[in-house]
Amino acid sequence: MKKVVIIIFALACLSILQKTSYAADVLTPTSSIKGGQELISAGQNFSLGFFTPGTSKSRYVGIWYKNILPQTIVWVANRDSPLNDTSGNLTVAADGNIVLFDGAGNRIWFTNSSRPIQEPIAKLLDSGNLVLIDGKNSDSDSYIWQSFDYPTDTMLPGLKLGWDKTSGLNRYLTSWKSANDPSPGNFTYRFDQKEFPELVIRQGMNITFRSGIWDGIRFNSDDWLSFNEITAFKPQLSVTRNEAVYWDEPGDRLSRFVMRDDGLLQRYIWDNKILKWTQMYEARKDFCDTYGACGANGICNIKDLPAYCDCLKGFIPNSQEEWDSFNWSGGCIRRTPLNCTEGDRFQKLSWVKLPMLLQFWTNNSMSLEECHVECLKNCSCTAYANSALNEGPHGCLLWFGNLIDIRLLITEEDAGGQLDLYVRLAASEIESTANASKRRKIALIISASSLALLLLCIILCLSKKYIKRRRTTTDLGHRNHNEDQAPPLFEIDTILAATNNFSIENKIGEGGFGPVYRGKLAHGQEIAVKRLSKTSKQGISEFMNEVGLVAKLQHRNLVSVLGGCTQGEERMLVYEYMPNSSLDHFIFDPKQGKTLKWRKRYDIIVGIARGLLYLHQDSKLTIIHRDLKTSNILLDNELNPKISDFGVSRIVEGDHFAVTTNEIVGTIGYMSPEYAVNGLLSVKSDVFSFGVIVLEILSGTKSNNFKVKHPDHDHNLLGQVTKTNHMQCNIDFTVKATSRSFFVLCLPLPVLTFS
Ligand SMILES: *[C@@H]1O[C@H](CO)[C@@H](O)[C@H](O)[C@H]1NC(C)=O
Ligand SMILES: *[C@@H]1O[C@H](CO)[C@@H](O)[C@H](O)[C@H]1NC(C)=O
Ligand SMILES: *[C@@H]1O[C@H](CO)[C@@H](O)[C@H](O)[C@H]1NC(C)=O
Ligand SMILES: *[C@@H]1O[C@H](CO)[C@@H](O)[C@H](O)[C@H]1NC(C)=O
Ligand SMILES: *[C@@H]1O[C@H](CO)[C@@H](O)[C@H](O)[C@H]1NC(C)=O
Ligand SMILES: *[C@@H]1O[C@H](CO)[C@@H](O)[C@H](O)[C@H]1NC(C)=O
Ligand SMILES: *[C@@H]1O[C@H](CO)[C@@H](O)[C@H](O)[C@H]1NC(C)=O
Ligand SMILES: *[C@@H]1O[C@H](CO)[C@@H](O)[C@H](O)[C@H]1NC(C)=O
Ligand SMILES: *[C@@H]1O[C@H](CO)[C@@H](O)[C@H](O)[C@H]1NC(C)=O
Ligand SMILES: *[C@@H]1O[C@H](CO)[C@@H](O)[C@H](O)[C@H]1NC(C)=O
């Protein structure tokens, strides 16, 4: 066996040796390469040779990294005219140009320099650039021809993208058609118009992404700002009257920038440790980067997940119904028409990506005030801004017509200032928003002062208790708080009357600790009574402590405990009654599920998150619920979610470090792996369960239901998400999962109906 392996290995080595027998880095009129032969750059960084991509049958001449597997092609010569058989050679013709011949001697690809060359040499450089130089005149830096001037889909360090008046070239990236076909695909990445250079991805003619306009210092967008943090490559830009070029200085690691055939623009660096390309950056990194994501006069805020879009101030949705169902493509229209002749005002918008320059006018020597006046002169002028930031903000830029592709920038640092946008509105709009903000301010002051009072109360009430607590963790039931005010108590007779002596008709469910009954108090309030079974191990004092604690947790997204009741062996918890039962009855029910629109699902998710945040942070105690699941989320009559069942919850004191516990409780399918396996408990365990709930709400599928399987594979919901890292729910949502956290990306599509 070993021998066979060795022989195969030796054969493989031999064939590699044969393959690379031509290992020079230059071609001259007297030499050529054909199939199986390569040019190799002096430092062994790149190879040039013939290759056949993927499943294709065609052959191409290209450049790839010599020492990187799988073969990573960075340039293709004859992307439009492949070779169809194994014949053909690449050489330098007598006229000084590089030529690719097919077997029949046709020139199927060639460089077309017309400069006379005495001693033409084609050389593959260590930068990955194939250059044509004159051996007689080799001192000159300028190449007669270079592959960097004709990029395909990849930008390597040193390759200058953009236009240059002196050479007349406009270099841009064009995606491959597909992984198996290097011919030009639908996506390009290039500098758009020359007055305000901007890097733009287009699909055919349609823009899908833009970098933001050049403000004299940088592109007016997050991406450019966040580039500063990356050291693996050093992006450079030169924008003058004669050129707009963008390139990377070589950094400390190999990097490349690719316009992919699926429309994504990605930057990779080579990781020497794992021997893989890792992605560093992606244009269109989020929803708001999608060109025109919020339609005309909309503004995108990525922090407003998932209702990303708003109308600009003074604008309203073109169609409220579409807008509510997250279809923002219709954009926004003015609430009040402009007066134009008199009295229009401007609303200042700061820290935004300025709108696309579709129809604009500019004068680089005007002041902001002159710009303001200039805009007012023309009825179709809708916004203005300074046109540049270098040498201080100056110049004038006017927009006409609809404002498209505005987003709030998220990068916080403000290096070198920013361009503010002034949006034209009818005077009445500015006044009404000014009034509104005044009102809001007053309300804020009132609520702030009442909040302060409330906080003071809470601090006074809790401070004593905090000092007393020593242990790092306590079960809710083990807390000693004699000083706590007694929880409200119900007489057993009241409960018996309300629940009709715990009649079987009143029974609405079975909780973890015993049956749950519905009841009605004398004054009409409906209640739910959880009767702890006699076999429950909870002692009376623990039980009362629990009631006391849960009664103190007041939040609209937590179920309210009205009180407790103990008598003899009977122990009961009295809750407000939730007419709509629990979430699982809704989302997993084929009929009810259809009535739950996406907007409502979203509200439910946000509600649960709020309740959870309260438990984890805002309630002053840190409480880990430990058994979050859809059947523990109750819905009130307006379908507001309320977290219930704190039977196994725990208080964690001090910081939220994980604690180890031997007693693992929870529900299969919702427990985080580190908790289920190692007993490591932290607030993150709840967050994991929350993620599972989100997936269930989105997909309408039970996480632990192995019967409902995907037609294409065997995984349950979580298995599918973690296995594929990428789940498509009815193509309307993309749910991505990393090992510990979930991201839900919502696309602007209509209300979901799950089937
Ligand atoms: C290879 O085949 C394609 C498609 O049939 C054709 O367009 C191309 O000209 C052929 N190339 C050569 C070198 O014959
Ligand atoms: C390359 O191909 C051309 C055309 O078939 C042929 O004339 C030339 O001799 C070939 N060069 C070499 C070195 O084989
Ligand atoms: C070479 O020819 C192509 C068209 O075949 C043309 O686009 C390009 O500008 C030419 N380049 C030179 C250097 O003449
Ligand atoms: C060639 O590769 C070596 C090692 O990977 C690297 O240090 C060097 O910078 C590369 N040369 C160029 C011109 O990229
Ligand atoms: C390019 O776009 C056209 C028109 O949208 C489409 O029909 C075609 O399939 C696209 N090609 C690729 C390779 O995606
Ligand atoms: C460009 O957009 C138009 C209208 O939205 C669409 O019909 C067309 O297919 C798009 N073209 C490409 C190449 O995607
Ligand atoms: C969104 O609204 C536009 C009209 O503004 C409509 O043409 C389009 O079909 C809608 N998109 C979806 C996915 O419903
Ligand atoms: C514009 O405002 C002036 C002064 O307030 C008013 O007289 C005029 O009617 C308004 N014009 C329009 C078109 O609203
Ligand atoms: C630009 O503005 C300056 C200052 O207002 C003015 O002198 C100049 O004529 C303007 N230029 C153009 C082309 O409008
Ligand atoms: C207003 O600006 C638009 C767009 O530049 C232009 O077509 C129109 O002539 C201007 N109108 C006036 C009155 O200047």
Side-chain angles (χ1 to χ4, degrees):
M1 189 65 193
K2 251 185 193 163
K3 263 180 202 161
V4 177
V5 171
I6 290 169
I7 289 167
I8 289 173
F9 184 72
L11 282 174
C13 288
L14 215 68
S15 74
I16 286 171
L17 278 177
Q18 265 178 349
K19 244 189 154 178
T20 57
S21 59
Y22 194 99
D25 64 343
V26 294
L27 275 181
T28 63
T30 58
S31 63
S32 74
I33 56 166
K34 52 183 198 285
Q37 297 178 326
E38 291 170 11
L39 283 190
I40 293 169
S41 65
Q44 307 266 307
N45 292 21
F46 286 94
S47 298
L48 177 143
F50 293 79
F51 74 98
T52 299
T55 57
S56 166
K57 295 213 165 58
S58 304
R59 286 167 71 245
Y60 300 86
V61 168
I63 297 175
W64 57 87
Y65 294 92
K66 178 171 186 307
N67 300 315
I68 283 178
L69 285 174
Q71 190 182 45
T72 310
I73 308 287
V74 296
W75 182 73
V76 184
N78 54 326
R79 65 189 306 192
D80 291 307
S81 43
L83 288 164
N84 297 326
D85 51 32
T86 55
S87 67
N89 68 39
L90 185 77
T91 185
V92 177
D95 70 354
N97 279 301
I98 307 172
V99 185
L100 176 64
F101 288 108
D102 69 5
N106 303 311
R107 304 200 313 170
I108 67 165
W109 176 86
F110 50 93
T111 62
N112 51 2
S113 153
S114 51
R115 256 163 73 181
I117 314 172
Q118 293 179 353
E119 198 183 293
I121 299 172
K123 185 172 186 181
L124 179 61
L125 304 182
D126 264 334
S127 57
N129 194 5
L130 176 68
V131 299
L132 192 55
I133 50 180
D134 189 346
K136 275 273 163 65
N137 191 11
S138 57
D139 56 313
S140 83
D141 275 348
S142 71
Y143 305 123
I144 292 156
W145 178 93
Q146 58 173 334
S147 63
F148 273 12
D149 280 340
Y150 302 91
T152 54
D153 68 338
T154 302
M155 181 171 118
L156 291 172
L159 191 159
K160 287 187 174 177
L161 222 55
W163 52 270
D164 183 345
K165 263 195 189 152
T166 36
S167 67
L169 286 167
N170 186 9
R171 288 149 299 202
Y172 58 93
L173 303 182
T174 310
S175 67
W176 287 22
K177 242 192 190 111
S178 73
N180 300 324
D181 186 356
S183 61
N186 280 346
F187 295 96
T188 57
Y189 181 59
R190 65 198 295 173
F191 275 107
D192 216 31
Q193 60 109 347
K194 307 201 169 171
E195 194 121 27
F196 289 92
E198 177 165 23
L199 284 159
V200 162
I201 300 178
R202 282 175 194 268
Q203 178 173 20
M205 284 310 292
N206 302 346
I207 297 176
T208 62
F209 167 82
R210 61 192 196 98
S211 65
I213 65 168
W214 176 250
D215 66 13
I217 300 179
R218 62 188 173 213
F219 291 113
N220 169 236
S221 76
D222 291 325
D223 299 326
W224 190 255
L225 295 173
S226 53
F227 270 172
N228 297 337
E229 298 156 18
I230 300 168
T231 59
F233 52 93
K234 302 184 195 94
Q236 307 288 322
L237 203 78
S238 161
V239 178
T240 64
R241 284 247 156 249
N242 291 323
E243 66 170 7
V245 288
Y246 168 47
W247 74 100
D248 284 348
E249 290 291 341
D252 48 9
R253 279 188 277 176
L254 296 179
S255 83
R256 65 196 170 96
F257 206 10
V258 185
M259 183 69 246
R260 291 169 26 136
D261 59 71
D262 57 5
L264 297 175
L265 181 76
Q266 290 180 337
R267 186 184 277 283
Y268 298 92
I269 59 166
W270 179 253
D271 190 324
N272 279 320
K273 291 202 189 95
I274 56 170
L275 299 180
K276 278 199 172 105
W277 290 108
T278 52
Q279 187 191 317
M280 288 293 290
Y281 157 80
E282 183 175 287
R284 290 165 76 187
K285 63 189 174 304
D286 60 31
F287 174 80
C288 290
D289 268 354
T290 311
Y291 177 70
C294 294
N297 309 309
I299 181 166
C300 197
N301 179 3
I302 199 64
K303 292 194 173 159
D304 259 352
L305 182 100
Y308 301 117
C309 292
D310 270 322
C311 288
L312 290 173
K313 268 189 194 133
F315 290 78
I316 51 170
N318 203 350
S319 154
Q320 188 68 42
E321 197 182 331
E322 273 171 21
W323 200 264
D324 286 344
S325 57
F326 292 6
N327 178 357
W328 297 299
S329 61
C332 305
I333 50 172
R334 282 182 194 281
R335 182 163 34 209
T336 317
L338 295 176
N339 180 311
C340 190
T341 50
E342 201 173 323
D344 288 346
R345 305 282 172 79
F346 289 89
Q347 174 80 42
K348 179 173 163 184
L349 271 181
S350 293
W351 211 229
V352 293
K353 179 173 178 176
L354 298 179
M356 177 71 184
L357 294 175
L358 292 170
Q359 248 195 305
F360 69 100
W361 178 91
T362 182
N363 178 335
N364 203 30
S365 46
M366 278 185 171
S367 69
L368 197 63
E369 190 45 45
E370 288 169 313
C371 197
H372 177 132
V373 172
E374 194 67 32
C375 186
L376 280 175
K377 278 185 197 161
N378 187 325
C379 287
S380 51
C381 175
T382 48
Y384 72 91
N386 272 137
S387 58
L389 273 176
N390 53 337
E391 302 153 14
H394 68 277
C396 178
L397 183 52
L398 303 184
W399 280 262
F400 301 98
N402 284 329
L403 303 172
I404 301 202
D405 200 38
I406 307 176
R407 75 169 287 172
L408 268 181
L409 300 181
I410 46 177
T411 310
E412 310 263 314
E413 95 202 67
D414 192 355
Q418 68 194 71
L419 290 173
D420 294 323
L421 181 70
Y422 296 83
V423 178
R424 185 178 195 161
L425 292 178
S428 61
E429 285 293 344
I430 299 276
E431 272 142 27
S432 69
T433 48
N435 285 346
S437 75
K438 211 181 276 170
R439 274 199 301 277
R440 215 173 301 136
K441 238 179 229 162
I442 294 169
L444 211 72
I445 290 167
I446 291 174
S447 71
S449 55
S450 54
L451 197 75
L453 233 130
L454 196 76
L455 274 180
L456 198 74
C457 268
I458 293 174
I459 291 168
L460 282 178
C461 297
L462 292 181
S463 54
K464 266 187 179 173
K465 227 163 43 197
Y466 265 98
I467 292 162
K468 285 217 161 177
R469 284 205 297 253
R470 294 250 165 73
R471 286 159 53 191
T472 50
T473 78
T474 350
D475 278 296
L476 289 188
H478 290 253
R479 289 189 50 218
N480 176 16
H481 43 133
N482 298 330
E483 302 135 337
D484 286 349
Q485 67 192 75
L489 281 184
F490 285 86
E491 292 292 329
I492 184 80
D493 293 340
T494 316
I495 305 288
L496 286 175
T499 60
N500 203 2
N501 285 331
F502 294 117
S503 81
I504 193 78
E505 288 89 57
N506 283 38
K507 188 168 161 185
I508 51 175
E510 191 80 33
F513 290 104
V516 183
Y517 297 87
R518 177 182 179 174
K520 200 175 205 173
L521 296 176
H523 61 274
Q525 185 181 11
E526 291 209 280
I527 56 169
V529 181
K530 191 157 91 172
R531 191 180 188 190
L532 306 190
S533 57
K534 299 198 171 91
T535 52
S536 165
K537 290 201 188 92
Q538 281 193 318
I540 289 190
S541 68
E542 288 96 333
F543 166 72
M544 288 310 291
N545 281 340
E546 176 174 343
V547 179
L549 184 107
V550 178
K552 274 205 211 71
L553 295 173
Q554 293 292 341
H555 188 271
R556 56 193 300 256
N557 294 112
L558 300 184
V559 74
S560 328
V561 174
L562 303 174
C565 173
T566 60
Q567 191 130 6
E569 299 224 293
E570 285 286 359
R571 291 187 280 282
M572 280 164 272
L573 280 169
V574 181
Y575 301 91
E576 57 179 329
Y577 174 69
M578 293 288 139
N580 274 318
S581 180
S582 51
L583 187 55
D584 55 334
H585 286 105
F586 255 89
I587 56 174
F588 303 137
D589 184 280
K591 246 195 218 148
Q592 299 258 52
K594 284 220 172 87
T595 66
L596 207 56
K597 295 288 186 234
W598 165 238
R599 180 75 228 182
K600 200 71 221 172
R601 285 173 199 248
Y602 168 65
D603 290 341
I604 290 173
I605 292 171
V606 170
I608 300 169
R610 288 211 175 103
L612 202 53
L613 195 66
Y614 176 81
L615 287 179
H616 288 173
Q617 296 185 355
D618 298 347
S619 69
K620 290 257 153 196
L621 303 169
T622 302
I623 294 165
I624 306 178
H625 186 284
R626 289 215 288 180
D627 198 14
L628 271 185
K629 53 182 170 185
T630 45
S631 58
N632 281 341
I633 310 291
L634 305 183
L635 299 172
D636 73 6
N637 50 6
E638 281 166 345
L639 296 184
N640 295 313
K642 307 215 174 210
I643 299 173
S644 79
D645 208 336
F646 298 87
V648 293
S649 302
R650 270 192 166 203
I651 293 176
V652 186
E653 284 171 41
D655 269 329
H656 316 168
F657 293 117
V659 293
T660 316
T661 175
N662 294 326
E663 167 218 24
I664 295 166
V665 293
T667 304
I668 303 286
Y670 293 89
M671 279 189 283
S672 63
E674 76 274 11
Y675 175 50
V677 177
N678 300 324
L680 218 55
L681 179 68
S682 70
V683 289
K684 289 179 192 164
S685 319
D686 278 352
V687 175
F688 185 93
S689 313
F690 171 72
V692 177
I693 292 176
V694 171
L695 287 174
E696 290 184 325
I697 293 174
L698 291 185
S699 65
T701 310
K702 270 187 193 162
S703 127
N704 55 2
N705 191 342
F706 287 83
K707 284 181 213 134
V708 184
K709 280 182 180 168
H710 197 275
D712 298 341
H713 52 68
D714 276 353
H715 313 299
N716 65 351
L717 185 59
L718 258 194
Q720 183 184 347
V721 170
T722 44
K723 172 119 197 211
T724 61
N725 253 12
H726 192 250
M727 180 181 72
Q728 294 265 320
C729 313
N730 289 359
I731 63 169
D732 289 354
F733 295 94
T734 309
V735 180
K736 275 187 177 174
T738 63
S739 58
R740 288 284 158 78
S741 51
F742 296 90
F743 303 100
V744 182
L745 307 174
C746 302
L747 304 174
L749 285 155
V751 176
L752 267 192
T753 37
F754 286 98
S755 45

